[in-house]
Amino acid sequence: MAKENKSLGVVAAMPQEIAPVLARIKGYARGNIDGRNLYRFPVNGSLVYLIESGMGPAQAAAATRALIRHAAPDAILNFGFGGAVLAGLEVGELVLADRVFRLDQATLHELPQPDAALASLVQDHCAKVGLQLRRGGFITACGIRSKTEMGSRLGGSTPLPLLEMETAAVLEQAQSAGIPLVAIRGVSDAADEELGFAIEEFCDADLHLVPWRVAWTIAKRPFLIPQLIRLAGNTRRAGKRLALAVELALQALSRQPQP
């Protein structure tokens, strides 16, 4: 039986990723750590602390440090959206990280693997209700990158790779603190869709979305509108399945005995 003082940490970047999860939670308290939204709620006697990190590795690292300092979690779950690099993943599918890479300019660095036992625990628990989590590699970049270029660089060495912007940073902080981590991503864009914009066009230097930058970019390049509409629909679809996976993952992690 899980101890009542067991805590679980959760890191996600954007409100669009977090909102579907909170919609499944009955009763949560909202707070703030270091200027970031923090949501607290119980799962099977464990306290869950979900922090909204903001986009990008720097924000994710800072948020994870704040979460560890505040909650001292027994395990950390990182979740969000990701873009498929190679064929084999469809929009809305869910991927569990078994390899994580950090992209520094033109160089890929592989990090120590996320906790294999927790990954299997979460995958098996989701499978019991018919929710499939596939295994893949997460590539953390500072912005949007060419999938064609990334695919050629990987050369087929990593099954089902996803491009995203936070997991490596969260994993590095968790491993530095000796905390096991599991990471789940929902596919928001398929491998055959290259994004036609740079994240910097929509954000400030800290990768916070700036509405006037979004409006200005769309006004200059209205051909982006169909893609942005499609991506919005994709994230809603992926977000619903991802929220269920997060709920099930937290149930599984809450039942894991404390070390």
Side-chain angles (χ1 to χ4, degrees):
M1 181 176 180
K3 296 180 181 179
E4 290 187 355
N5 64 348
K6 182 176 183 180
S7 66
L8 300 172
V10 185
V11 182
M14 299 185 296
Q16 295 90 338
E17 294 165 334
I18 293 172
V21 173
L22 295 179
R24 301 187 66 90
I25 302 300
K26 295 180 179 178
Y28 59 85
R30 179 173 173 172
N32 188 281
I33 303 178
D34 294 353
R36 294 177 169 85
N37 290 326
L38 179 75
Y39 304 91
R40 187 179 67 179
F41 50 89
V43 173
N44 295 334
S46 298
L47 273 177
V48 177
Y49 298 83
L50 191 168
I51 193 166
E52 182 184 319
S53 67
M55 290 190 293
Q59 296 283 5
T64 306
R65 288 193 297 269
L67 179 68
I68 292 170
R69 185 179 68 247
H70 178 81
D74 297 288
I76 292 177
L77 169 66
N78 174 234
F79 76 92
F81 301 131
V85 175
L86 300 174
L89 284 172
E90 302 297 330
V91 169
E93 286 197 272
L94 302 172
V95 183
L96 187 66
D98 59 5
R99 299 178 73 183
V100 176
F101 301 83
R102 183 181 69 246
L103 179 64
D104 291 330
Q105 298 191 2
T107 306
L108 275 176
H109 301 278
E110 183 166 5
L111 276 60
Q113 290 183 337
D115 192 277
L118 289 188
S120 294
L121 180 74
V122 168
Q123 187 174 34
D124 292 345
H125 188 65
C126 289
K128 289 177 182 177
V129 298
L131 187 66
Q132 182 186 30
L133 300 185
R134 305 181 70 184
R135 297 293 186 108
F138 291 5
I139 303 168
T140 301
C142 293
I144 294 169
R145 296 293 181 266
S146 165
K147 296 174 181 178
T148 301
E149 177 190 348
M150 196 59 56
S152 63
R153 186 176 299 177
L154 290 170
S157 62
T158 302
L160 305 182
L162 282 181
L163 272 169
E164 45 82 29
M165 295 177 61
E166 293 85 29
T167 297
V170 179
L171 178 61
E172 287 177 318
Q173 297 302 317
Q175 290 180 335
S176 293
I179 300 171
L181 175 137
V182 61
I184 304 171
R185 295 267 164 182
V187 179
S188 58
D189 44 289
D192 60 358
E193 178 159 19
E194 294 281 7
L195 301 186
F197 54 89
I199 199 69
E200 294 82 3
E201 295 180 272
F202 292 162
C203 298
D204 62 18
D206 294 321
L207 295 184
H208 296 129
L209 281 173
V210 179
W212 73 262
R213 286 182 178 272
V214 177
W216 178 248
T217 301
I218 292 173
K220 290 191 300 180
R221 299 158 67 196
F223 59 85
L224 290 176
I225 292 174
Q227 184 174 62
L228 293 173
I229 292 173
R230 184 167 56 254
L231 287 173
N234 290 351
T235 54
R236 283 193 296 271
R237 176 182 168 190
K240 291 180 180 178
R241 301 189 79 241
L242 184 59
L244 174 58
V246 169
E247 182 181 29
L248 293 170
L250 291 174
Q251 291 174 2
L253 294 173
S254 69
R255 296 186 179 117
Q256 179 75 355
Q258 288 177 301

PDB file of all heavy atoms in Angstrom, residues 228-246:
ATOM      1  N   LEU A 228      -1.708  25.707 -39.272  1.00  0.00           N
ATOM      2  CA  LEU A 228      -1.961  26.002 -37.861  1.00  0.00           C
ATOM      3  C   LEU A 228      -3.327  25.471 -37.422  1.00  0.00           C
ATOM      4  O   LEU A 228      -3.469  24.963 -36.299  1.00  0.00           O
ATOM      5  CB  LEU A 228      -1.864  27.511 -37.614  1.00  0.00           C
ATOM      6  CG  LEU A 228      -0.462  28.108 -37.782  1.00  0.00           C
ATOM      7  CD1 LEU A 228      -0.516  29.623 -37.680  1.00  0.00           C
ATOM      8  CD2 LEU A 228       0.500  27.535 -36.755  1.00  0.00           C
ATOM      9  N   ILE A 229      -4.309  25.571 -38.294  1.00  0.00           N
ATOM     10  CA  ILE A 229      -5.637  25.021 -37.973  1.00  0.00           C
ATOM     11  C   ILE A 229      -5.563  23.508 -37.840  1.00  0.00           C
ATOM     12  O   ILE A 229      -6.134  22.907 -36.922  1.00  0.00           O
ATOM     13  CB  ILE A 229      -6.659  25.435 -39.047  1.00  0.00           C
ATOM     14  CG1 ILE A 229      -6.913  26.954 -38.985  1.00  0.00           C
ATOM     15  CG2 ILE A 229      -7.967  24.663 -38.869  1.00  0.00           C
ATOM     16  CD1 ILE A 229      -7.776  27.471 -40.111  1.00  0.00           C
ATOM     17  N   ARG A 230      -4.846  22.881 -38.768  1.00  0.00           N
ATOM     18  CA  ARG A 230      -4.683  21.425 -38.714  1.00  0.00           C
ATOM     19  C   ARG A 230      -3.956  20.998 -37.445  1.00  0.00           C
ATOM     20  O   ARG A 230      -4.341  20.028 -36.779  1.00  0.00           O
ATOM     21  CB  ARG A 230      -3.934  20.950 -39.955  1.00  0.00           C
ATOM     22  CG  ARG A 230      -3.798  19.433 -40.057  1.00  0.00           C
ATOM     23  CD  ARG A 230      -3.341  19.017 -41.445  1.00  0.00           C
ATOM     24  NE  ARG A 230      -2.096  19.644 -41.855  1.00  0.00           N
ATOM     25  CZ  ARG A 230      -2.005  20.633 -42.746  1.00  0.00           C
ATOM     26  NH1 ARG A 230      -3.089  21.114 -43.337  1.00  0.00           N
ATOM     27  NH2 ARG A 230      -0.825  21.154 -43.075  1.00  0.00           N
ATOM     28  N   LEU A 231      -2.896  21.726 -37.076  1.00  0.00           N
ATOM     29  CA  LEU A 231      -2.142  21.392 -35.874  1.00  0.00           C
ATOM     30  C   LEU A 231      -2.996  21.561 -34.619  1.00  0.00           C
ATOM     31  O   LEU A 231      -2.876  20.777 -33.671  1.00  0.00           O
ATOM     32  CB  LEU A 231      -0.890  22.261 -35.778  1.00  0.00           C
ATOM     33  CG  LEU A 231       0.234  21.933 -36.752  1.00  0.00           C
ATOM     34  CD1 LEU A 231       1.337  22.974 -36.653  1.00  0.00           C
ATOM     35  CD2 LEU A 231       0.790  20.539 -36.484  1.00  0.00           C
ATOM     36  N   ALA A 232      -3.847  22.577 -34.613  1.00  0.00           N
ATOM     37  CA  ALA A 232      -4.726  22.776 -33.459  1.00  0.00           C
ATOM     38  C   ALA A 232      -5.667  21.587 -33.290  1.00  0.00           C
ATOM     39  O   ALA A 232      -5.895  21.096 -32.172  1.00  0.00           O
ATOM     40  CB  ALA A 232      -5.518  24.071 -33.619  1.00  0.00           C
ATOM     41  N   GLY A 233      -6.211  21.110 -34.402  1.00  0.00           N
ATOM     42  CA  GLY A 233      -7.064  19.930 -34.339  1.00  0.00           C
ATOM     43  C   GLY A 233      -6.300  18.692 -33.914  1.00  0.00           C
ATOM     44  O   GLY A 233      -6.794  17.873 -33.124  1.00  0.00           O
ATOM     45  N   ASN A 234      -5.075  18.548 -34.428  1.00  0.00           N
ATOM     46  CA  ASN A 234      -4.244  17.406 -34.062  1.00  0.00           C
ATOM     47  C   ASN A 234      -3.932  17.384 -32.570  1.00  0.00           C
ATOM     48  O   ASN A 234      -3.947  16.327 -31.924  1.00  0.00           O
ATOM     49  CB  ASN A 234      -2.925  17.428 -34.844  1.00  0.00           C
ATOM     50  CG  ASN A 234      -3.100  17.122 -36.318  1.00  0.00           C
ATOM     51  OD1 ASN A 234      -4.182  16.730 -36.758  1.00  0.00           O
ATOM     52  ND2 ASN A 234      -2.055  17.298 -37.088  1.00  0.00           N
ATOM     53  N   THR A 235      -3.602  18.557 -32.011  1.00  0.00           N
ATOM     54  CA  THR A 235      -3.256  18.602 -30.593  1.00  0.00           C
ATOM     55  C   THR A 235      -4.470  18.322 -29.720  1.00  0.00           C
ATOM     56  O   THR A 235      -4.325  17.708 -28.653  1.00  0.00           O
ATOM     57  CB  THR A 235      -2.625  19.954 -30.210  1.00  0.00           C
ATOM     58  OG1 THR A 235      -3.493  21.024 -30.600  1.00  0.00           O
ATOM     59  CG2 THR A 235      -1.283  20.133 -30.884  1.00  0.00           C
ATOM     60  N   ARG A 236      -5.643  18.740 -30.154  1.00  0.00           N
ATOM     61  CA  ARG A 236      -6.856  18.400 -29.376  1.00  0.00           C
ATOM     62  C   ARG A 236      -7.057  16.886 -29.370  1.00  0.00           C
ATOM     63  O   ARG A 236      -7.366  16.292 -28.324  1.00  0.00           O
ATOM     64  CB  ARG A 236      -8.084  19.102 -29.955  1.00  0.00           C
ATOM     65  CG  ARG A 236      -8.177  20.577 -29.608  1.00  0.00           C
ATOM     66  CD  ARG A 236      -9.547  21.132 -29.923  1.00  0.00           C
ATOM     67  NE  ARG A 236      -9.853  21.087 -31.350  1.00  0.00           N
ATOM     68  CZ  ARG A 236      -9.560  22.057 -32.208  1.00  0.00           C
ATOM     69  NH1 ARG A 236      -8.937  23.145 -31.782  1.00  0.00           N
ATOM     70  NH2 ARG A 236      -9.881  21.942 -33.481  1.00  0.00           N
ATOM     71  N   ARG A 237      -6.877  16.279 -30.528  1.00  0.00           N
ATOM     72  CA  ARG A 237      -7.039  14.824 -30.628  1.00  0.00           C
ATOM     73  C   ARG A 237      -5.986  14.100 -29.792  1.00  0.00           C
ATOM     74  O   ARG A 237      -6.295  13.190 -29.023  1.00  0.00           O
ATOM     75  CB  ARG A 237      -6.930  14.416 -32.096  1.00  0.00           C
ATOM     76  CG  ARG A 237      -6.990  12.915 -32.359  1.00  0.00           C
ATOM     77  CD  ARG A 237      -6.829  12.663 -33.851  1.00  0.00           C
ATOM     78  NE  ARG A 237      -6.586  11.265 -34.148  1.00  0.00           N
ATOM     79  CZ  ARG A 237      -6.216  10.813 -35.336  1.00  0.00           C
ATOM     80  NH1 ARG A 237      -6.076  11.661 -36.337  1.00  0.00           N
ATOM     81  NH2 ARG A 237      -6.012   9.528 -35.534  1.00  0.00           N
ATOM     82  N   ALA A 238      -4.716  14.508 -29.952  1.00  0.00           N
ATOM     83  CA  ALA A 238      -3.643  13.878 -29.191  1.00  0.00           C
ATOM     84  C   ALA A 238      -3.783  14.160 -27.704  1.00  0.00           C
ATOM     85  O   ALA A 238      -3.486  13.300 -26.869  1.00  0.00           O
ATOM     86  CB  ALA A 238      -2.286  14.373 -29.693  1.00  0.00           C
ATOM     87  N   GLY A 239      -4.269  15.347 -27.370  1.00  0.00           N
ATOM     88  CA  GLY A 239      -4.376  15.734 -25.970  1.00  0.00           C
ATOM     89  C   GLY A 239      -5.338  14.867 -25.179  1.00  0.00           C
ATOM     90  O   GLY A 239      -5.090  14.567 -24.006  1.00  0.00           O
ATOM     91  N   LYS A 240      -6.423  14.448 -25.795  1.00  0.00           N
ATOM     92  CA  LYS A 240      -7.400  13.601 -25.091  1.00  0.00           C
ATOM     93  C   LYS A 240      -6.796  12.247 -24.754  1.00  0.00           C
ATOM     94  O   LYS A 240      -6.962  11.744 -23.638  1.00  0.00           O
ATOM     95  CB  LYS A 240      -8.655  13.435 -25.949  1.00  0.00           C
ATOM     96  CG  LYS A 240      -9.482  14.714 -26.094  1.00  0.00           C
ATOM     97  CD  LYS A 240     -10.705  14.478 -26.963  1.00  0.00           C
ATOM     98  CE  LYS A 240     -11.522  15.760 -27.109  1.00  0.00           C
ATOM     99  NZ  LYS A 240     -12.707  15.561 -27.990  1.00  0.00           N
ATOM    100  N   ARG A 241      -6.111  11.632 -25.705  1.00  0.00           N
ATOM    101  CA  ARG A 241      -5.500  10.323 -25.453  1.00  0.00           C
ATOM    102  C   ARG A 241      -4.320  10.463 -24.490  1.00  0.00           C
ATOM    103  O   ARG A 241      -4.091   9.595 -23.642  1.00  0.00           O
ATOM    104  CB  ARG A 241      -5.054   9.678 -26.763  1.00  0.00           C
ATOM    105  CG  ARG A 241      -6.194   9.464 -27.746  1.00  0.00           C
ATOM    106  CD  ARG A 241      -5.778   8.623 -28.938  1.00  0.00           C
ATOM    107  NE  ARG A 241      -5.747   7.202 -28.583  1.00  0.00           N
ATOM    108  CZ  ARG A 241      -4.660   6.448 -28.633  1.00  0.00           C
ATOM    109  NH1 ARG A 241      -3.502   6.964 -29.000  1.00  0.00           N
ATOM    110  NH2 ARG A 241      -4.698   5.168 -28.312  1.00  0.00           N
ATOM    111  N   LEU A 242      -3.574  11.541 -24.629  1.00  0.00           N
ATOM    112  CA  LEU A 242      -2.440  11.769 -23.746  1.00  0.00           C
ATOM    113  C   LEU A 242      -2.912  11.965 -22.308  1.00  0.00           C
ATOM    114  O   LEU A 242      -2.282  11.460 -21.363  1.00  0.00           O
ATOM    115  CB  LEU A 242      -1.665  12.997 -24.224  1.00  0.00           C
ATOM    116  CG  LEU A 242      -0.380  13.365 -23.478  1.00  0.00           C
ATOM    117  CD1 LEU A 242       0.624  12.223 -23.517  1.00  0.00           C
ATOM    118  CD2 LEU A 242       0.224  14.630 -24.072  1.00  0.00           C
ATOM    119  N   ALA A 243      -4.010  12.675 -22.113  1.00  0.00           N
ATOM    120  CA  ALA A 243      -4.538  12.894 -20.763  1.00  0.00           C
ATOM    121  C   ALA A 243      -4.922  11.581 -20.101  1.00  0.00           C
ATOM    122  O   ALA A 243      -4.681  11.379 -18.903  1.00  0.00           O
ATOM    123  CB  ALA A 243      -5.738  13.835 -20.819  1.00  0.00           C
ATOM    124  N   LEU A 244      -5.525  10.681 -20.863  1.00  0.00           N
ATOM    125  CA  LEU A 244      -5.861   9.365 -20.309  1.00  0.00           C
ATOM    126  C   LEU A 244      -4.590   8.613 -19.925  1.00  0.00           C
ATOM    127  O   LEU A 244      -4.520   7.989 -18.855  1.00  0.00           O
ATOM    128  CB  LEU A 244      -6.667   8.559 -21.324  1.00  0.00           C
ATOM    129  CG  LEU A 244      -6.982   7.101 -20.944  1.00  0.00           C
ATOM    130  CD1 LEU A 244      -7.745   7.030 -19.619  1.00  0.00           C
ATOM    131  CD2 LEU A 244      -7.760   6.417 -22.068  1.00  0.00           C
ATOM    132  N   ALA A 245      -3.573   8.677 -20.780  1.00  0.00           N
ATOM    133  CA  ALA A 245      -2.313   8.002 -20.482  1.00  0.00           C
ATOM    134  C   ALA A 245      -1.671   8.575 -19.221  1.00  0.00           C
ATOM    135  O   ALA A 245      -1.123   7.829 -18.396  1.00  0.00           O
ATOM    136  CB  ALA A 245      -1.355   8.127 -21.667  1.00  0.00           C
ATOM    137  N   VAL A 246      -1.728   9.886 -19.051  1.00  0.00           N
ATOM    138  CA  VAL A 246      -1.170  10.521 -17.856  1.00  0.00           C
ATOM    139  C   VAL A 246      -1.918  10.064 -16.610  1.00  0.00           C
ATOM    140  O   VAL A 246      -1.307   9.731 -15.584  1.00  0.00           O
ATOM    141  CB  VAL A 246      -1.202  12.054 -17.990  1.00  0.00           C
ATOM    142  CG1 VAL A 246      -0.877  12.734 -16.656  1.00  0.00           C
ATOM    143  CG2 VAL A 246      -0.223  12.510 -19.068  1.00  0.00           C
TER     144      VAL A 246
END
